[in-house]
Amino acid sequence: SENEELEEIASADLKYLVLPALLGALTLKQVDLSKRLEHLESARVHFWRFLKLCKSYGLGSFRLPPASPPGEEDAGSPSSGGPAAAQPNLVAMASSRQAKIERYKQKKELENRLASMKTSVESGQADEDQIREFYILQIQKWINTSLEEMESIDQEMVILRSRGTAKQSSAPPHGTSRQVRTPMKPFILTRDAAQAKVFGAGYPGLPTMTVDDWYEQRRRQGVVSAQSAPQRAPGITDEELQKQQQEKKEEEDDEEALQKARNWDDWKDTHPRGYGNRQNVG
């Protein structure tokens, strides 16, 4: 009860005051990373209950941390986003550093005193005053541990919440997903159907596909347009297709193609067929 004094608690019952701190320490040992934030919040509640209980009994001289983490407490305050909040409080930082140094010294002193009293208490040779002093030292040791753990918890919670906010901002809007492209299977690309039959007979493990079939497949998938695919009638060779394309350029009044054709006609007028072929005669 909070109405009673420390002297009213029996010496054998003092050890039960450390129970909330032990629950907080065990909660921190949980390894489920998906629930890390929940474990931190639960452990912080246990440590704060222990410190509040010790404060009400007058055990130790320390400043009781706020019940809520600093991020939740400052979220609704109007001055949390002001310019003064962005600047570090040097006085608070210096006092916090000094408090950590004092706690470290006190922790070492408590550990030494507990180590010297542990053997007599566990063996049953200590009297009631020594047992009471031993448990009070244990409580004071856990007070320092709880204060350190709460500082670490507050810092880790800030990191986890900022990481969660960054993930939510970088996540794509609901309902939009990246299109999954089906991986293409390997195949042999040939010029015409005759070449496809030759390669298909020699390599039965790999399918063959002509250029026309490949363009048609890509056109159906929407990768290439119908205009970019070469138009070839069945049974036409590559030389005939190239000749048709050259004639089509000339019909469309392509200046470069027309000039090339005129130069070729002029050269044939002055150079008869077989010109220059003297059958290796000097």
Side-chain angles (χ1 to χ4, degrees):
S1 175
E2 295 183 357
N3 296 327
E4 62 183 3
E5 299 294 335
L6 181 63
E7 291 76 10
E8 301 179 23
I9 303 177
S11 300
D13 296 337
L14 285 174
K15 56 186 176 182
Y16 298 113
L17 295 177
V18 194
L19 181 59
L22 295 177
L23 290 175
L26 291 175
T27 306
L28 286 180
K29 295 183 180 297
Q30 299 293 326
V31 295
D32 191 356
L33 296 180
S34 61
K35 298 181 179 179
R36 180 60 179 173
L37 188 59
E38 299 178 8
H39 294 156
L40 291 175
E41 293 174 350
S42 178
R44 194 184 190 282
V45 171
H46 289 308
F47 285 127
W48 188 84
R49 284 177 52 199
F50 169 72
L51 292 176
K52 186 175 182 297
L53 188 63
C54 294
K55 195 72 173 178
S56 63
Y57 281 112
L59 288 166
S61 56
F62 60 93
R63 180 182 177 185
L64 183 65
S68 301
E72 296 180 357
E73 191 177 62
D74 299 340
S77 60
S79 60
S80 59
Q87 299 178 358
N89 191 343
L90 299 180
V91 177
M93 293 173 62
S95 60
S96 177
R97 180 176 179 275
Q98 187 64 28
K100 290 181 180 179
I101 295 175
E102 294 295 333
R103 284 203 305 266
Y104 179 78
K105 294 180 179 179
Q106 187 179 6
K107 179 180 179 182
K108 289 298 181 180
E109 182 182 354
L110 290 173
E111 288 178 353
N112 294 332
R113 293 176 62 184
L114 287 171
S116 61
M117 299 176 62
K118 184 177 180 181
T119 304
S120 60
V121 172
E122 291 181 351
S123 61
Q125 299 176 359
D127 55 11
E128 185 177 354
D129 293 338
Q130 291 177 338
I131 294 175
R132 190 175 187 87
E133 182 183 1
F134 178 79
Y135 287 139
I136 290 178
L137 292 177
Q138 285 277 11
I139 294 173
Q140 292 177 353
K141 175 187 173 183
W142 274 102
I143 287 175
N144 294 331
T145 303
S146 300
L147 291 173
E148 293 176 356
E149 293 293 349
M150 288 189 69
E151 290 181 2
S152 301
I153 288 173
D154 292 342
Q155 295 175 2
E156 187 175 354
M157 288 175 67
V158 171
I159 296 174
L160 291 178
R161 283 169 179 164
S162 61
R163 184 193 302 176
T165 305
K167 286 183 179 180
Q168 292 178 1
S169 60
S170 61
H174 181 68
T176 61
S177 60
R178 180 181 296 179
Q179 295 182 356
V180 180
R181 180 177 296 178
T182 305
M184 294 183 61
K185 296 181 179 180
F187 63 92
I188 299 177
L189 187 64
T190 61
R191 269 190 272 176
D192 49 25
Q195 194 178 26
K197 292 180 180 179
V198 173
F199 280 100
Y203 303 90
L206 292 177
T208 58
M209 184 181 300
T210 63
V211 177
D212 295 336
D213 295 338
W214 182 79
Y215 268 103
E216 181 63 24
Q217 182 183 13
R218 303 291 281 179
R219 186 186 62 80
R220 288 196 302 266
Q221 295 176 356
V223 179
V224 297
S225 60
Q227 296 179 356
S228 61
Q231 302 295 330
R232 179 188 296 188
I236 297 180
T237 61
D238 292 339
E239 296 179 357
E240 294 177 353
L241 179 62
Q242 186 177 3
K243 188 176 181 181
Q244 290 180 2
Q245 292 178 353
Q246 183 69 20
E247 293 177 355
K248 186 177 180 182
K249 288 182 179 179
E250 295 177 0
E251 291 176 359
E252 294 176 353
D253 296 335
D254 190 349
E255 292 295 336
E256 184 179 355
L258 288 175
Q259 186 63 33
K260 187 176 181 180
R262 291 193 186 105
N263 294 337
W264 176 247
D265 292 337
D266 295 341
W267 190 88
K268 288 194 297 184
D269 291 342
T270 57
H271 299 77
R273 184 178 180 83
Y275 175 84
N277 184 11
R278 306 189 63 177
Q279 299 180 357
N280 294 331
V281 177

